Amino acid sequence: MGRVLCVGHICVDDVYNVRKYPVEDSTVGSRTSPNRCTNQSWERGGNASNSATVLAELGNEVEYFGTLADDNLKQFFKDDMDSYGVKYTNCPVLKNSKVGTSVVICSEESGTRTIIHCKGTLTELTHGQFKERINLDNYSWIHFEGRNENQITHILQDIQEYNIKFASESDSLLGQPNYKQRKLPISIEVEKRIESISVLLPFADVAFIGKDYAMMKGARDCLHAAQIFCQQLEKGTVVICPWGEHGAAFGIAGSHQLTKVDPHPPVKIVSSLGAGDTFNAAVIHALTRNMEIEESVRFGCKVAGAKIGICGFRNLLQAIEN
């Protein structure tokens, strides 16, 4: 398999694991009772950045692409990506910038994660930077985090034109999902409740529709979400709708068949931080290895479930085996 490219943003996550979510105007320390902080860590975060990490852990050749700030955290990010084998040398490094920071509170009682994000001053990737630094011939799949739509739309148009040049007229591909017909398949995640990122979805061969975004569009559950977006997107687009502890659903636009996949929870929930990014990466991993769509979504649920049972991504393979 060729290299997978994950395009999006990077940030630092200041993560606090607590027994339960704090009461407003309270203090939670390492020795307080009944609630206390059991662990604190600094983690490299960001949806595309996390998905790149998981893809690397699963054995893929993977590259992260997004802007990096020339600040005191740049080396921390580079060292961490090096430790996982995630490539990043094409990333533009911008001077006089400060990377975004998230404070994350992970509740051991409920398994929830609450995120407070401050954007920082680091500007988003531009179309020109992508064209200058990325040679599409070097990749077998590109995954986009749904953000920065004004610039990403132009990048997607370039990839669409690239795929048209290599379009196959083979009868053997007729009726196959769109991603199987592309030289360079595109997957796109839309997660946040931001209406303007909808312009990205028509470019997706595989669309990951997050729960918050789907509910903004009127979805009641994952099956309903899959139905809504299968009716809206281009025929042959694979629509995948993860729904946390309720599993996931998927369908292919133009087909009337929808499938629900059960969740794969761990014995003990430790942290749900990064579970959605893990799901997306695991599905991409499976699809690039020619697994069927249903099998790929089941694998995504399995790996995401394993991730919820640990902190971070470092012991993910061991968690999957267990």
Side-chain angles (χ1 to χ4, degrees):
M1 286 301 304
R3 185 181 301 179
V4 179
L5 182 67
C6 294
V7 181
H9 96 301
I10 199 167
C11 67
V12 62
D13 289 342
D14 186 8
V15 183
Y16 295 84
N17 294 85
V18 296
R19 289 282 175 83
K20 58 183 179 179
Y21 189 80
V23 176
E24 187 176 353
D25 198 26
S26 65
T27 299
V28 180
S30 299
R31 300 176 63 188
T32 54
S33 179
N35 196 11
R36 69 184 183 94
C37 181
T38 58
N39 189 56
Q40 183 276 333
S41 61
W42 287 73
E43 306 286 349
R44 171 173 53 88
N47 293 20
S49 170
N50 287 342
S51 290
T53 298
V54 175
L55 282 161
E57 281 288 273
L58 293 174
N60 299 271
E61 183 182 1
V62 61
E63 178 179 344
Y64 167 75
F65 189 63
T67 54
L68 296 176
D70 191 17
D71 62 8
N72 61 328
L73 288 168
K74 179 182 69 174
Q75 197 58 48
F76 167 73
F77 290 141
K78 288 184 174 183
D79 290 345
D80 193 61
M81 285 190 277
D82 283 337
S83 73
Y84 283 102
V86 175
K87 295 176 173 60
Y88 56 84
T89 52
N90 285 318
C91 291
V93 179
L94 307 183
K95 295 185 179 299
N96 302 316
S97 296
K98 183 179 179 182
V99 73
T101 303
S102 295
V103 173
V104 185
I105 301 173
C106 296
S107 167
E108 296 174 359
E109 180 181 75
S110 63
T112 60
R113 87 287 183 273
T114 301
I115 302 173
I116 303 171
H117 180 71
C118 183
K119 183 179 180 183
T121 60
L122 181 64
T123 57
E124 297 266 12
L125 192 70
T126 68
H127 178 217
Q129 289 165 338
F130 188 95
K131 289 191 70 171
E132 177 185 345
R133 293 169 179 264
I134 296 298
N135 180 350
L136 297 179
D137 292 333
N138 294 335
Y139 305 96
S140 62
W141 190 288
I142 300 188
H143 175 66
F144 288 88
E145 179 183 342
R147 58 186 301 117
N148 188 24
E149 58 275 8
N150 292 334
Q151 296 296 318
I152 298 301
T153 299
H154 297 297
I155 295 171
L156 291 167
Q157 289 170 340
D158 287 349
I159 302 171
Q160 191 175 61
E161 292 172 6
Y162 175 86
N163 279 326
I164 289 172
K165 286 195 302 183
F166 291 95
S168 172
E169 297 181 0
S170 171
D171 290 340
S172 64
L173 293 176
L174 292 176
Q176 292 289 331
N178 293 345
Y179 77 91
K180 291 190 175 183
Q181 303 183 46
R182 309 291 192 238
K183 178 175 173 60
L184 185 54
I186 298 169
S187 57
I188 299 174
E189 173 204 32
V190 289
E191 177 194 34
K192 296 178 176 63
R193 290 174 173 263
I194 301 173
E195 181 63 43
S196 58
I197 61 176
S198 301
V199 299
L200 302 176
L201 282 175
F203 296 96
D205 300 311
V206 176
F208 292 101
I209 310 295
K211 179 179 178 180
D212 284 351
Y213 180 85
M215 291 178 68
M216 181 185 74
K217 292 292 189 176
R220 299 183 299 271
D221 53 43
C222 57
L223 273 172
H224 188 216
Q227 179 185 30
I228 289 171
F229 290 96
C230 279
Q231 292 171 348
Q232 294 180 1
L233 297 181
E234 179 187 351
K235 181 180 179 181
T237 302
V238 177
V239 175
I240 302 173
C241 303
W243 218 259
E245 69 272 21
H246 299 290
F250 73 90
I252 302 174
S255 166
H256 297 294
Q257 182 175 350
L258 302 173
T259 303
K260 171 76 166 56
V261 175
D262 290 333
H264 201 287
V267 174
K268 179 183 178 182
I269 295 175
V270 175
S271 171
S272 61
L273 180 62
D277 309 327
T278 300
F279 173 87
N280 296 344
V283 172
I284 293 168
H285 167 84
L287 291 176
T288 59
R289 279 156 176 73
N290 297 317
M291 292 170 64
E292 295 299 322
I293 299 170
E294 182 171 351
E295 186 180 8
S296 298
V297 176
R298 290 192 187 282
F299 182 71
C301 288
K302 178 181 179 180
V303 178
K307 162 64 200 78
I308 293 171
I310 60 174
C311 287
F313 304 105
R314 191 66 66 181
N315 299 310
L316 184 59
L317 289 179
Q318 182 180 348
I320 294 169
E321 292 171 0
N322 291 338

